Amino acid sequence: MRAFPVVMPSGQRYWTVLDDDLEVVPEADRWLQNLRFGRDRAELTTRAYAGGVALYLRWCGLTGREWTAAGRDLGLFMVWLKYTPAPRDGVVPVVQPGPGAEPVRGSGGSTGCWSRCGGCWRTRCP
């Protein structure tokens, strides 16, 4: 999963989410288009939201959770966000926090990510 920029024929831009096969995730795309064009949010807002939704969907896929039901495990998602480094060369590291483990994201980054993708989850999107 990854965030990806889209340029409309009008020249306006927004960001969407692509799956691992580089296909648009339709539910996320509709939600992000609505944010950008229906609610008049900035392009960079859709970039931030697309990034958060991509992380959430990646976590759901890696942990075998359905995105619509994974909300009950938010604490686990937050731990994953805080301690799991970004993928390198297509390899997603496994989170193994232990005593004294250094977070790879600060609490603001983790909380910000969840607040962005929480709106998507509440509206039953991606």
Side-chain angles (χ1 to χ4, degrees):
M1 296 289 170
R2 67 189 67 187
F4 192 81
V6 176
V7 180
M8 303 296 285
S10 66
Q12 288 186 301
R13 296 169 51 109
Y14 75 102
W15 286 69
T16 193
V17 177
L18 301 181
D19 65 17
D20 293 334
D21 296 324
L22 303 180
E23 297 288 331
V24 171
V25 177
E27 297 89 346
D29 189 63
R30 280 192 300 271
W31 184 68
L32 291 160
Q33 282 188 43
N34 181 55
L35 280 178
R36 177 72 171 108
F37 305 115
R39 300 176 91 191
D40 201 29
R41 299 292 196 261
E43 175 192 343
L44 291 179
T45 299
T46 62
R47 179 181 179 185
Y49 279 52
V53 170
L55 284 169
Y56 177 70
L57 293 175
R58 183 180 305 143
W59 173 76
C60 288
L62 290 171
T63 59
R65 290 174 170 82
E66 288 293 322
W67 68 266
T68 55
R72 66 178 170 254
D73 297 325
L74 291 181
L76 297 173
F77 176 57
M78 298 300 285
V79 168
W80 183 84
L81 277 175
K82 189 172 183 177
Y83 291 101
T84 303
R88 293 183 188 261
D89 299 323
V91 176
V92 179
V94 175
V95 62
Q96 296 179 341
E102 290 293 321
V104 296
R105 291 178 187 85
S107 60
S110 301
T111 304
C113 177
W114 174 244
S115 67
R116 289 188 292 271
C117 59
C120 183
W121 181 80
R122 283 189 301 274
T123 60
R124 290 293 190 214
C125 136

